[in-house]
């Protein structure tokens, strides 16, 4: 069994997973691939959320990992899953709001038809990845039909989670750039809503021009959504920045203490 885990050094869940595997003596059974060092390999494999875990070439977990289940798999146990059809939409949306790329892309583009073509990601976050092929396809088609028809409704229901994801990631990148807290007033001066709109369009899963959809700033429908995200970020700026600063400071200390990110 070949197991590859795509990680990022600033990913909290990645660090938790690696610590768990280390404590269980299982770190030697996996290959760690740092997406910061090997971004194009990650793009080639369809990684849009970390940690992403591939088992014998198949994406099994994306972003959200059941640590105990994964431990059983690494220990050689055959894992079976019971799927509740009624919870498929919730699992998909949880996977989306856990991934900044997925959240940003869908918040801007509102296109579940295109998004669900990222089939491996959908299978991984909904738990369908470990089913046999026939069952997997049946559940996937059922979910796809629902989301294409009612996706806008679910985007509205999950909007607050999406806004927090977008805001946290914007503020996290501000922290990486300045390495200290800058005031909300400075952010508004340096990053007016037009710049924020461009950032959000570019950051939503785009690689160069691949996947990039740029909308004119004259698109009033789009800009209403962008302004809502921008205002949410400003209204919650201090609270989110303090949490991000604490999170990133702790991660930086851990990364100095022990280097786990292997080169391939």
């Amino acid at each position: 069994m070949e197991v590859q885990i795509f990680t990022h050094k600033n990913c909290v869940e990645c660090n938790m997973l690696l610590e768990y595997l280390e404590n269980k003596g299982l770190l030697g059974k996996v290959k760690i691939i740092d997406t910061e060092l090997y971004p194009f390999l990650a793009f080639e494999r369809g990684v849009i959320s970390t940690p992403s875990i591939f088992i014998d070439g198949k994406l099994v977990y994306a972003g959200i990992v059941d640590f105990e289940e994964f431990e059983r798999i690494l220990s050689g146990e055959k894992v079976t899953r019971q799927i509740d059809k009624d919870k498929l939409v919730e699992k998909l949306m949880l996977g989306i709001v856990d991934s900044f790329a997925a959240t940003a892309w869908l918040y801007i583009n509102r296109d579940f038809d295109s998004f669900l073509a990222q089939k491996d990601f959908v299978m991984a976050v909904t738990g369908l990845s470990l089913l046999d092929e026939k069952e997997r396809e049946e559940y996937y088609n059922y979910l796809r039909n629902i989301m294409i028809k009612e996706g806008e409704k679910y985007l509205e229901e999950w909007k607050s989670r999406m806004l927090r994801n977008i805001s946290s990631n914007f503020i996290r990148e501000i922290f990486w750039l300045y390495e200290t807290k800058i005031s909300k007033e400075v952010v508004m001066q340096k990053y007016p809503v037009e710049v924020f709109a461009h950032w959000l369009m570019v950051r939503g899963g785009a690689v160069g021009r691949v996947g990039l959809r740029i909308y004119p700033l004259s698109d009033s429908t789009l800009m209403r959504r962008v302004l809502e995200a921008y205002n949410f970020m400003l209204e919650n700026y201090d609270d989110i920045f303090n949490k991000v600063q604490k999170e990133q400071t702790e991660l930086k200390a851990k990364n100095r203490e022990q280097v786990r990110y292997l080169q391939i």
Side-chain angles (χ1 to χ4, degrees), residues 162-221:
M162 298 179 85
L163 292 174
R164 183 158 288 276
N165 184 320
I166 290 166
S167 300
S168 296
N169 278 278
F170 178 77
I171 290 171
R172 189 173 287 114
E173 291 179 24
I174 293 295
F175 176 74
W176 291 341
L177 284 170
Y178 295 93
E179 296 187 307
T180 188
K181 185 174 183 179
I182 60 174
S183 71
K184 185 164 50 176
E185 290 69 30
V186 171
V187 169
M188 292 170 69
Q189 179 186 4
K190 291 180 179 289
Y191 302 92
V193 68
E194 294 83 3
V195 174
F196 183 83
H198 190 192
W199 168 83
L200 190 51
M201 284 185 259
V202 170
R203 286 290 280 115
V207 184
R209 287 184 182 167
V210 177
L212 178 62
R213 295 189 191 180
I214 290 287
Y215 297 85
L217 297 177
S218 58
D219 184 331
S220 59
T221 301

Side-chain angles (χ1 to χ4, degrees), residues 80-145:
T80 57
R81 287 176 175 166
Q82 298 296 319
I83 300 298
D84 184 345
K85 258 184 165 185
D86 295 332
K87 292 190 175 177
L88 280 176
V89 171
E90 180 183 3
K91 287 191 172 187
L92 175 64
M93 293 306 301
L94 280 170
I96 288 168
V97 298
D98 182 68
S99 163
F100 173 53
T103 295
W105 196 88
L106 277 168
Y107 188 80
I108 289 293
N109 296 303
R110 328 295 281 189
D111 181 359
F112 270 103
D113 190 13
S114 295
F115 180 79
L116 285 163
Q118 187 74 17
K119 203 168 179 181
D120 290 345
F121 174 82
V122 174
M123 297 290 194
V125 298
T126 55
L128 300 179
S129 54
L130 292 178
L131 299 183
D132 65 60
E133 187 176 354
K134 184 181 177 184
E135 267 192 306
R136 198 163 61 233
E137 286 299 315
E138 286 178 1
Y139 282 122
Y140 170 79
N141 289 331
Y142 168 80
L143 179 62
R144 180 180 177 84
N145 289 334

